[in-house]
Amino acid sequence: MESSFYQALRRNRLAMIGLYGVILLMLTAFLAPLLAPYPPNLPNADAVLLPPSWQYPLGTDDTGRDLLSRMLYGARVSLEVGLVAAGISTLLGVILGAIAGYYGRWVESLIMRFTDLMLCFPAFFLILAVIALLDPSIINIMIIIGLTSWMGVARLVRAEFLTLKHREYVLAARSLGAGNMRIIVRHLLPNAIAPVLVAATLGVAGAILLESGLSFLGLGVQPPEASWGNILRQSKDNLEIAWWLSVFPGLAILLTVLSYNLLGEGIRDALDPKLR
Amino acid sequence: MIGAAIRTRIRTAICGSFILLSVTTAGGAGDCPATGDTVVIATIGDATSMIPMITSDTASHEMSAFCYNGLLKYDKDLSLVGDLAQSWRISEDNLTITFYLRQNVRFHDGQPYTAHDALFNWRFMVDPATPTGYSYDYEQVAEAEVLDDYTFQVRYAAPYAPGLASWTLPQMPRHLLEGQDPRQSPLSRHPVGTGPYLFRQWNPGESLTLSYNRDYFEGRPCLDAVVYRIIPDLATIFMELSALGLDWSTLTPVQYQRQANSEFFQNNFNKYKYLSSSYSFIGWNMRDPRFQDIRIRRAMSHAIDRREIIKGVLLGMGQEATGPLKPGTYWYNPNVPRYEYDPQKALQLFKEAGWELAPDGRLRNAGGDPFDFVLITNQGNTSRQNAGVFIQYRLAQVGIKVDLRVIEWTSFLQEFVNQRRFDAVLLGWTIPPDPSPSLYSVFHSSNRDPGKLNITGYASQELDALLEQELKVLEQTERKVLHDRIQEIIARDQPYTFLYLPQALPIVHRRFQGIEETSSGISHNFIRWHVPQEQQMRPYIFMER
Amino acid sequence: MILYLCKRLLMMLPMLLGITLVSFAVIQLAPGSPSDLMVDMNPQVSDLARERLHKFYGLDKPVLEQYWNWLKNLAALDFGQSFAPDGRPVWDKIVERLPITVSINVLSLLLTFLVALPLGVYSAVHRGSWLDKGITIFVFIGFAAPTFWLALLAMMLFGVHLGWLPISGIQAMNHDALSWGGKAADYASHLFLPVLLSSFVSLAGLSRYMRSNMLEVIAQDYITTARAKGLRERAVICRHALRNALMPVITILGLSVPGLIGGSVIFESVFAIPGMGKLFYDGVMARDYPLIMGCLVLGAGLTLLGNLLADIGYALADPRVRREGR
């Protein structure tokens, strides 16, 4: 099973491109302090809005800060937002979905009705209201994106559990006296992990994109801290004079989200025996 | 008082002042070399209501200003002249003002404007049921009465210097507003005033159209119509300008210097530049013992490089602020203590106050605590946010770690500034033409309580006395002496580190003629702007409904 | 069937209550009370006035009382009055924004379906081909690009440089003077970019869904059988596979109906379109509580209704669901 999964993934060229993209991004984010030629918040009144050059490989922004350095540090923030937000939503979704799917009856009804309830609200409306009304610190952004996007995972896990819990090996484990917790964690979860993994991968991409949308409204990560979203927002008033300010962060977001999506799709395809 | 020249736009949005269109007094359509055409203006926000007294947003004030007049108005030199009042008289004891109103002025619906309307407007302002934030000036009036249809008199309990300027208040029609809840009144959606333009159409969130008042008492305005387009995004506004979808807008310093120099812009637009009536500053919260120390505040002012900010952020299009008033105006005092950029001197002052540069490059006190603070600023002002980056950088060089936080306007104001929950705040004030009441609210020690405007908690008995005295003096030269002294004390004590006044950078399509650029802006003679017949681009077609 | 319907309707009640509760709870998180949008401070707004406003809006009452009052009004379909100085009914404000938002959403939904379905089918049938890969990347670019960036670039190209399309707004200044046909053309040219871009953005979801449905169907036995019988490939795909792959897509169409009233703040800001998204956003920024709650309740309520309709439709089509519902 394991090896055939990797083989299937390997054969999918787009998925591999996505995988390399994701790895590259993680590396740059991790190595940002080593790679960045300048501190990310060092302004220079004599170097405002300079085009790319040897001195400033990606040019400078409207306070004369080096764009390359800000992009590198921004990669950290954007990735952090994506990973933590997707982490929160996945964890929450798995827990609620598992409980609902395993225990059934009124527990399930309660959780699933709440899930439906949350799904009724237009997602961006809800996030917007909460973030604007609280305070758009990085932590809040990650938590709120996480708290408003767990519903898909919860439904997914519940559905998997509903079918899995009647399998023979689960029944066997129970008759051998395994506790509920043990059955959930040891026997059910590992078999439901595949779709969760796909959802989490796509979740990272979604959160990065969402942060850039919030940044446009001034509700994303707040300057002077750099995120790709707020660098891009900063660029929009000078779109024509300073193309480098919008092209680089725009492409960075596009390629990152694209990579995560291709990877996620690839994993899904590779996991689905019917599609092999 | 609530002030704003009709066109101080977008970035330096001024909230306030009922400064209406001020126009040369001579009347008659003969003053228009040509009539016709429409001016299209962009605004980032829609108006909330067309009754300006119950709103505080810039768009509402700006748009409704076309429809209303005050008893008085400011002329291009920012001195008060008659508007609906032909003349006025102040009594010997400085307690009574008598306004002699123009006759034959009519509201847009044909009803005559009389002293009864003026009285109603005062009553409206002091009525506790009116949800207005501007009642203070009018509550100083002890008694107001109609002497005859065209004579209106107010009496103050004590001499009140800003009193006269408060009568730039827009005059609402009594016959439409009396006895009504202003929030429910049709006037809030459909203004009826005496002004040069009458209301035509309002598509909420999209556009607002005004057309010329042919019976305006100063003669019909030359342009047939004014259209406001609500475009929430600055990038879109600039693109619309580039595609000639707009006639009048405001540029950012970068756009002014780099983009609007192209041949296309040179051929199609005229750019203007004047010092805006607002300044940016850092307010030091004196409830923090560190900022209570005057040496620390002075050291901060020496450690920050204002010239660098003006160069790097405003691309040179701004002026250093030395105090709370506008350079070049009558009340401004240039001879006050100045704080040049001098990090050595700053370190010296810090040392005197007990803070020394430690070997690790941080400023520390005897107990070894580092000097850190959080500088908060509001969202929506890019220049100010960028200035924060330079401030952070310069203070880091003298060993201070500044954490810069940008906060959305409403919570910024209500949760941080009003509650005094900040170390230092980077903010801007507007400078009204008559500075007295605002200096009193911002620097008098009685206004230190949460929610009031003395946000730093600054208290000086010497200054308090001067501010109180100044409100009671009506004689100009005497007031000037007091104001000079007030500015010296403020500069000496540095409750704020004064940063800069940005330049306002309007741009108007070339076809508009008759624009007069003055130190206060370009809009004072708006009703005489015109477009020669052959160059007219947007004929206004009246749709009678 | 009647029983099933009753049960579903009854279940909606607690959901509706839950929706009002969540909407109200969101508001209670908020620091700050209603105010106008400003950028600079005016030194002459007195604080007395602020208290006055507070009382006026009833914000000095206990939270539960506020909620109860609001709920009572809501039961009579009264969304209350906006906190903005114009004090207009929230319902009026929403209604005047609905037509434009709904028309943009309907058009872009249609366009999305029209483009995404063929793309998905083609990708599935020619799985692994270069064109399949190209389509995959194309639809994901739409999904992955930050929307405001994409919109601004498109406006710059088509509006400023090529001058083919108007840049922003929904109608030209001389719109009222145009003929009937001219008006239609005017709207079309203004709505072209927003509609095009919002369908580009949502292309990925639907076309990928269609692709995987199609792949699943193609792998089924009856398709293999059909092929084995010697039917031509085209006939197999069109007559047998497509019909079955389209079934679940129709549910998606049903489910996206309620989403039609929600507007995108980002597109609306960039294109200067006076729609629901911008209304809601401005309401949030000004702490216009009745408006925020009104939008949330209305949006969520309609979604609920849409779900119900989709379920009923499904139940009508599939008797198994009906039985289960009993």
Side-chain angles (χ1 to χ4, degrees):
Chain A
M1 159 87 196
E2 291 270 305
S3 65
S4 66
F5 165 72
Y6 283 117
Q7 273 170 11
L9 193 62
R10 270 241 182 87
R11 274 207 309 269
N12 187 338
R13 206 170 297 161
L14 287 182
M16 289 316 282
I17 293 176
L19 183 65
Y20 293 139
V22 169
I23 293 172
L24 188 73
L25 172 77
M26 298 227 179
L27 274 179
T28 44
F30 191 69
L31 298 176
L34 295 176
L35 297 172
Y38 301 88
N41 274 320
L42 178 76
N44 182 349
D46 294 312
V48 172
L49 290 177
L50 294 181
S53 65
W54 284 113
Q55 200 184 355
Y56 300 105
L58 300 186
T60 62
D61 74 357
D62 56 355
T63 46
R65 292 172 292 192
D66 176 48
L67 183 60
L68 175 62
S69 309
R70 284 184 73 69
M71 291 274 301
L72 287 168
Y73 279 91
R76 291 190 135 188
V77 174
S78 294
L79 198 65
E80 198 178 276
V81 169
L83 289 176
V84 176
I88 293 174
S89 73
T90 309
L91 198 69
L92 208 65
V94 166
I95 292 174
L96 289 174
I99 293 175
Y102 185 79
Y103 290 101
R105 286 185 307 188
W106 66 270
V107 182
E108 182 187 10
S109 314
L110 195 72
I111 292 178
M112 292 330 284
R113 286 300 79 75
F114 183 58
T115 310
D116 291 345
L117 186 73
M118 289 296 288
L119 278 169
C120 277
F121 291 98
F124 201 70
F125 271 30
L126 205 58
I127 294 176
L128 190 72
V130 180
I131 289 199
L133 300 180
L134 287 173
D135 159 33
S137 66
I138 298 189
I139 308 267
N140 279 348
I141 289 171
M142 296 188 302
I143 292 176
I144 289 158
I145 295 181
L147 287 184
T148 46
S149 54
W150 51 268
M151 291 82 80
V153 178
R155 283 187 151 184
L156 234 124
V157 171
R158 168 185 164 262
E160 289 287 317
F161 268 45
L162 279 182
T163 54
L164 287 175
K165 75 176 175 186
H166 299 298
R167 293 273 167 88
E168 280 103 21
Y169 71 95
V170 177
L171 296 175
R174 188 173 294 148
S175 66
L176 287 174
N180 288 337
M181 204 54 200
R182 190 179 162 82
I183 293 176
I184 292 179
V185 176
R186 291 292 297 275
H187 298 286
L188 292 174
L189 264 185
N191 289 298
I193 210 72
V196 173
L197 193 68
V198 176
T201 313
L202 299 179
V204 177
I208 291 177
L209 212 52
L210 208 56
E211 193 276 330
S212 81
L214 287 170
S215 273
F216 168 79
L217 299 170
L219 297 172
V221 173
Q222 293 300 302
E225 180 125 45
S227 79
W228 288 347
N230 72 30
I231 298 175
L232 189 61
R233 169 207 159 89
Q234 224 185 351
S235 76
K236 75 183 171 58
D237 297 348
N238 305 320
L239 210 57
E240 267 187 274
I241 328 168
W243 58 267
W244 57 94
L245 265 185
S246 80
V247 166
F248 295 123
L251 283 179
I253 295 174
L254 195 156
L255 293 177
T256 302
V257 176
L258 190 65
S259 298
Y260 270 100
N261 273 306
L262 292 176
L263 180 64
E265 283 258 318
I267 297 176
R268 178 187 297 159
D269 279 4
L271 284 169
D272 191 342
K274 274 180 298 201
L275 299 182
R276 251 178 232 156
Chain B
M1 196 199 78
I2 318 157
I6 172 173
R7 296 265 66 212
T8 315
R9 302 198 34 83
I10 303 172
R11 300 242 155 176
T12 51
I14 290 186
C15 313
S17 158
F18 295 127
I19 303 178
L20 296 176
L21 297 163
S22 36
V23 200
T24 38
T25 325
D31 289 344
C32 286
T35 57
D37 215 351
T38 303
V39 60
V40 183
I41 311 170
T43 166
I44 50 171
D46 199 358
T48 52
S49 164
M50 284 286 128
I51 302 179
M53 295 94 141
I54 64 168
T55 66
S56 57
D57 61 302
T58 321
S60 300
H61 284 252
E62 199 178 294
M63 296 180 195
S64 61
F66 286 93
C67 302
Y68 293 107
N69 297 92
L71 292 177
L72 306 176
K73 67 184 176 187
Y74 287 99
D75 69 1
K76 62 178 171 181
D77 306 315
L78 292 184
S79 25
L80 285 167
V81 296
D83 197 7
L84 285 172
Q86 211 144 30
S87 61
W88 67 92
R89 197 168 50 81
I90 299 174
S91 64
E92 290 289 309
D93 59 3
N94 285 337
L95 290 176
T96 310
I97 313 175
T98 313
F99 295 99
Y100 302 96
L101 306 182
R102 279 172 192 268
Q103 304 187 5
N104 303 323
V105 174
R106 287 179 183 276
F107 283 105
H108 297 154
D109 62 357
Q111 295 292 317
Y113 172 80
T114 67
H116 295 282
D117 291 293
L119 179 66
F120 164 75
N121 277 288
W122 173 71
R123 286 205 178 123
F124 180 74
M125 291 308 285
V126 295
D127 182 350
T130 305
T132 177
Y134 310 109
S135 55
Y136 185 81
D137 283 335
Y138 308 96
E139 280 156 6
Q140 309 310 309
V141 173
E143 205 183 330
E145 59 183 319
V146 171
L147 299 185
D148 63 51
D149 270 3
Y150 297 101
T151 316
F152 173 61
Q153 192 176 65
V154 289
R155 177 149 53 246
Y156 289 85
Y160 184 60
L164 191 62
S166 72
W167 293 103
T168 50
L169 178 75
Q171 297 291 298
M172 301 280 141
R174 181 180 73 140
H175 62 283
L176 295 178
L177 198 55
E178 192 166 40
Q180 292 213 19
D181 175 356
R183 293 168 78 255
Q184 305 290 327
S185 161
L187 275 186
S188 78
R189 308 301 298 166
H190 186 139
V192 175
T194 52
Y197 283 87
L198 30 113
F199 173 81
R200 277 282 158 181
Q201 198 178 352
W202 186 357
N203 300 331
E206 189 194 347
S207 66
L208 185 131
T209 307
L210 305 159
S211 71
Y212 75 95
N213 175 4
R214 70 188 73 224
D215 302 321
Y216 188 52
F217 60 80
E218 291 186 321
R220 70 155 284 180
C222 308
L223 297 174
D224 274 355
V226 176
V227 173
Y228 271 94
R229 285 197 52 196
I230 296 127
I231 305 180
D233 193 87
L234 288 173
T236 310
I237 291 183
F238 193 76
M239 279 194 239
E240 280 286 1
L241 209 58
S242 312
L244 300 180
L246 294 172
D247 296 322
W248 184 1
S249 183
T250 303
L251 300 177
T252 65
V254 177
Q255 288 169 346
Y256 186 94
Q257 209 181 55
R258 305 231 176 142
Q259 200 156 2
N261 274 339
S262 67
E263 201 181 319
F264 171 82
F265 272 92
Q266 302 281 6
N267 290 339
N268 287 288
F269 288 94
N270 284 321
K271 293 190 289 182
Y272 300 89
K273 189 160 82 170
Y274 60 91
L275 203 58
S276 68
S277 296
S278 67
Y279 65 93
S280 291
F281 63 88
I282 305 174
W284 307 107
N285 192 345
M286 294 187 206
R287 291 157 198 90
D288 182 329
R290 294 174 300 179
F291 298 123
Q292 184 61 249
D293 189 330
I294 190 169
R295 291 168 298 195
I296 299 266
R297 299 197 302 267
R298 286 178 177 162
M300 291 288 179
S301 297
H302 278 301
I304 292 165
D305 189 349
R306 285 166 210 72
R307 292 211 183 121
E308 177 185 61
I309 293 174
I310 290 166
K311 182 180 175 197
V313 174
L314 303 175
L315 303 181
M317 281 168 284
Q319 196 168 333
E320 276 181 67
T322 58
L325 299 186
K326 183 174 168 180
T329 56
Y330 176 73
W331 304 110
Y332 178 71
N333 178 4
N335 303 312
V336 296
R338 284 172 190 249
Y339 298 82
E340 296 302 327
Y341 173 61
D342 187 348
Q344 286 316 310
K345 194 160 183 188
L347 284 173
Q348 181 61 38
L349 282 163
F350 280 127
K351 200 170 173 183
E352 284 168 27
W355 295 86
E356 272 197 90
L357 209 53
D360 64 350
R362 302 288 308 275
L363 200 63
R364 289 177 190 276
N365 64 8
D369 305 325
F371 202 125
D372 309 330
F373 69 91
V374 180
L375 178 63
I376 62 167
T377 190
N378 65 295
Q379 219 174 55
N381 189 315
T382 315
S383 303
R384 219 177 280 149
Q385 276 173 39
N386 286 345
V389 174
F390 280 99
I391 290 163
Q392 193 180 35
Y393 162 62
R394 284 298 167 192
L395 291 180
Q397 291 196 321
V398 292
I400 298 170
K401 186 169 162 279
V402 181
D403 200 0
L404 186 60
R405 281 190 63 196
V406 181
I407 304 166
E408 177 269 321
W409 178 257
T410 306
S411 38
F412 170 76
L413 202 61
Q414 298 185 346
E415 294 302 298
F416 295 91
V417 175
N418 286 350
Q419 310 285 331
R420 315 297 191 231
R421 284 180 13 208
F422 61 90
D423 300 333
V425 59
L426 176 57
L427 187 58
W429 284 120
T430 59
I431 309 172
D434 185 334
S436 312
S438 64
L439 288 180
Y440 188 87
S441 347
V442 171
F443 295 109
H444 194 276
S445 63
S446 65
N447 289 320
R448 283 179 297 169
D449 300 335
K452 296 195 173 181
L453 296 178
N454 184 345
I455 52 181
T456 61
Y458 169 61
S460 152
Q461 287 185 347
E462 192 184 359
L463 187 74
D464 283 357
L466 282 165
L467 287 169
E468 286 158 24
Q469 191 186 349
E470 196 277 327
L471 278 184
K472 298 196 179 84
V473 174
L474 270 72
E475 206 278 312
Q476 290 264 329
T477 45
E478 210 177 320
R479 276 182 81 188
K480 169 73 176 149
V481 173
L482 290 169
H483 267 303
D484 281 353
R485 184 71 195 127
I486 288 170
Q487 290 172 70
E488 276 168 35
I489 294 172
I490 292 174
R492 183 193 72 197
D493 290 350
Q494 292 285 293
Y496 293 171
T497 288
F498 295 94
L499 296 173
Y500 59 84
L501 297 92
Q503 240 142 8
L505 305 168
I507 184 166
V508 185
H509 193 271
R510 263 203 120 88
R511 70 182 192 280
F512 294 94
Q513 314 267 308
I515 301 177
E516 224 177 283
E517 193 176 10
T518 68
S519 58
S520 59
I522 58 171
S523 59
H524 70 95
N525 70 335
F526 178 78
I527 70 167
R528 292 293 162 255
W529 288 20
H530 59 271
V531 180
Q533 219 73 45
E534 67 282 3
Q535 291 176 33
Q536 297 193 355
M537 255 172 65
R538 310 181 206 276
Y540 182 72
I541 303 140
F542 288 92
M543 303 291 290
E544 295 301 339
R545 281 174 300 154
Chain C
M1 186 66 204
I2 305 270
L3 206 68
Y4 171 74
L5 247 178
C6 289
K7 198 178 159 193
R8 285 303 313 254
L9 277 174
L10 220 67
M11 254 163 57
M12 268 181 75
L13 275 179
M15 289 286 278
L16 268 175
L17 202 68
I19 286 171
T20 62
L21 210 62
V22 171
S23 306
F24 193 80
V26 163
I27 299 302
Q28 296 305 319
L29 292 171
S33 44
S35 72
D36 292 336
L37 288 173
M38 290 183 284
V39 191
D40 265 343
M41 298 242 291
N42 179 352
Q44 297 180 315
V45 182
S46 69
D47 50 306
L48 190 125
R50 234 164 261 143
E51 279 164 38
R52 227 185 247 176
L53 288 173
H54 222 73
K55 277 223 183 70
F56 196 91
Y57 292 139
L59 294 179
D60 49 348
K61 295 193 184 119
V63 174
L64 273 178
E65 198 182 329
Q66 287 182 42
Y67 177 62
W68 178 242
N69 286 338
W70 177 64
L71 210 57
K72 268 195 306 199
N73 290 333
L74 206 62
L77 283 181
D78 175 6
F79 285 79
Q81 282 167 8
S82 163
F83 279 174
D86 61 3
R88 294 172 65 213
V90 167
W91 180 250
D92 289 6
K93 287 196 164 189
I94 292 178
V95 163
E96 81 194 0
R97 302 292 182 110
L98 271 178
I100 183 67
T101 300
V102 171
S103 23
I104 291 181
N105 287 341
V106 167
L107 288 172
S108 80
L109 189 72
L110 284 179
L111 188 63
T112 309
F113 270 80
L114 244 105
V115 178
L117 296 187
L119 283 185
V121 172
Y122 185 92
S123 280
V125 174
H126 300 270
R127 176 160 178 247
S129 70
W130 279 106
L131 208 56
D132 172 33
K133 292 200 173 94
I135 289 172
T136 305
I137 290 182
F138 173 75
V139 297
F140 274 131
I141 284 179
F143 174 78
T147 43
F148 70 91
W149 184 58
L150 209 60
L152 287 171
L153 291 181
M155 287 157 75
M156 205 159 85
L157 179 65
F158 295 109
V160 180
H161 289 293
L162 297 173
W164 291 350
L165 293 169
I167 293 166
S168 65
I170 54 169
Q171 54 184 17
M173 294 233 323
N174 60 351
H175 184 84
D176 287 342
L178 293 173
S179 67
W180 188 85
K183 276 185 181 152
D186 185 41
Y187 277 134
S189 68
H190 278 87
L191 296 186
F192 185 78
L193 273 186
V195 168
L196 188 74
L197 286 171
S198 47
S199 11
F200 186 35
V201 168
S202 45
L203 216 49
L206 190 63
S207 74
R208 298 309 283 176
Y209 185 72
M210 188 65 209
R211 180 179 180 268
S212 62
N213 273 345
M214 195 69 188
L215 282 177
E216 227 164 279
V217 173
I218 291 175
Q220 302 278 331
D221 293 341
Y222 64 87
I223 297 292
T224 323
T225 316
R227 278 190 185 133
K229 278 198 301 189
L231 279 177
R232 274 184 308 147
E233 186 64 16
R234 179 173 289 269
V236 173
I237 296 299
C238 294
R239 211 166 299 155
H240 297 272
L242 195 56
R243 189 181 302 163
N244 284 295
L246 273 175
M247 283 302 283
V249 171
I250 287 162
T251 329
I252 294 235
L253 184 66
L255 288 178
S256 46
V257 170
L260 294 178
I261 72 144
S264 154
V265 204
I266 295 177
F267 274 128
E268 288 172 11
S269 299
V270 170
F271 286 109
I273 294 167
M276 284 291 293
K278 191 72 174 67
L279 179 74
F280 180 74
Y281 174 74
D282 288 345
V284 168
M285 287 328 222
R287 308 286 189 271
D288 190 344
Y289 298 156
L291 186 67
I292 303 174
M293 296 191 293
C295 287
L296 283 174
V297 168
L298 194 73
L302 281 184
T303 311
L304 205 59
L305 201 69
N307 289 348
L308 180 71
L309 290 179
D311 283 357
I312 291 173
Y314 221 75
L316 285 177
D318 188 346
R320 274 173 308 176
V321 180
R322 263 186 315 221
R323 238 173 289 129
E324 207 177 290
R326 218 168 272 159

